[in-house]
Amino acid sequence: MAGTTHAVNSVADGLRLPLEFTSSPRIAVVPLLEVGAEAPEVKTVFDEIRTFYAMDYVPAVYRWMARDAGFIQGYWTAVREAFIDRKLDRLTKEILAFAASMTAKSDYGVDFHLREARRLGLSDAMLTEAVEVVQLFNTVTKIADALQLQPDFPHAVGNR
Amino acid sequence: MEIVHVTEAHELTPEDQRFCEATKAWFKIDFVPKMSRVLLTVPEFGRPYGRASRRAMTDGALSRGQKELIATMVSAINVCEY
């Protein structure tokens, strides 16, 4: 889910899509498909998205993707499969997506994934701890890169 | 290659060597990570940073495993190989 999170955030922030849950002055630089004007196959996707996120509207980033029915069908299915409960539960995945969004400084991603994590049960204590870890590792990764530290486990199984 | 000399653990003060031993036990490894040694090059920074790290990475409302996943995610987004 790291890849889809980063990609969706890039599209949403790059196109200046308004935040979903927080008021923002952002105005989309592209026209978005109006809900109700979509093709039948896209309506099915929109219904799934609303149900998955327990929203009564369709997030702007998916209204953008809906310009290409074949693309949104494939991409949404991939996102859904990446985020559903598997070995990691859905809340943990949303916390990871929130951490990725913070690190990438994605306003859209932070707004979206924080709301979703909250909806799935993220407490204030969990949020505090998650942000602490994000802060710690944004510190050490910058130090490591600045000093060009070589990995401690360069040949460990699973490192490649 | 590193652009600085990475201090060897035995070059650190006894107090910092004890912290490094605790770090090895924490990670269940038989060496002191370079980052720990680099941070302790300036003990006034490294010691409190280490304490904050240990506190933040301990099991709490989130498990240590979840926290390590978050750390991995941050590292991936920052494209940090270390």
Side-chain angles (χ1 to χ4, degrees), chain A residues 1-2 6 88-89 91-92 95-97 99-101 103-104 122-123 125-127 129-130 132-153 160, chain B residues 1-4 6 29 31-35 37-39 45 49 52-63 66-82:
Chain A
M1 35 69 58
H6 196 57
L88 292 179
D89 61 78
L91 172 57
T92 297
I95 294 170
L96 293 172
S101 300
T103 301
L122 181 78
S123 65
M126 293 165 80
L127 174 61
E129 293 182 8
E132 286 176 353
V133 177
V134 169
Q135 184 171 344
L136 282 173
F137 281 85
N138 270 290
T139 305
V140 294
T141 54
K142 294 304 177 191
I143 292 172
D145 286 345
L147 301 181
Q148 298 178 29
L149 293 188
Q150 300 303 300
D152 284 319
F153 304 96
R160 298 290 177 197
Chain B
M1 287 299 295
E2 288 89 3
I3 62 170
V4 292
V6 180
I29 54 178
F31 63 93
V32 181
K34 289 177 188 170
M35 181 57 68
R37 289 182 271 141
V38 164
L39 293 175
F45 177 82
Y49 189 87
S53 297
R54 192 66 51 82
R55 175 185 169 84
M57 295 306 290
T58 301
D59 280 324
L62 297 177
S63 69
Q66 287 175 308
K67 292 177 178 183
E68 288 292 346
L69 285 172
I70 294 171
T72 303
M73 181 65 78
V74 170
S75 301
I77 295 296
N78 284 338
V79 198
C80 179
E81 188 180 6
Y82 179 84

Side-chain angles (χ1 to χ4, degrees), chain B residues 14-54:
Chain B
E15 176 186 347
D16 292 332
Q17 287 186 35
R18 282 195 295 278
F19 189 84
C20 287
E21 288 302 312
T23 298
K24 288 162 61 178
W26 172 265
F27 288 117
K28 295 184 169 49
I29 54 178
D30 60 1
F31 63 93
V32 181
K34 289 177 188 170
M35 181 57 68
S36 300
R37 289 182 271 141
V38 164
L39 293 175
L40 287 169
T41 302
V42 183
E44 295 80 3
F45 177 82
R47 290 171 187 166
Y49 189 87
R51 288 194 295 272
S53 297
R54 192 66 51 82

Side-chain angles (χ1 to χ4, degrees), chain A residues 4-22:
Chain A
T4 56
T5 297
H6 196 57
V8 169
N9 287 349
S10 297
V11 169
D13 289 321
L15 298 178
R16 305 289 300 153
L17 303 185
L19 307 188
E20 301 295 346
F21 304 104
T22 307

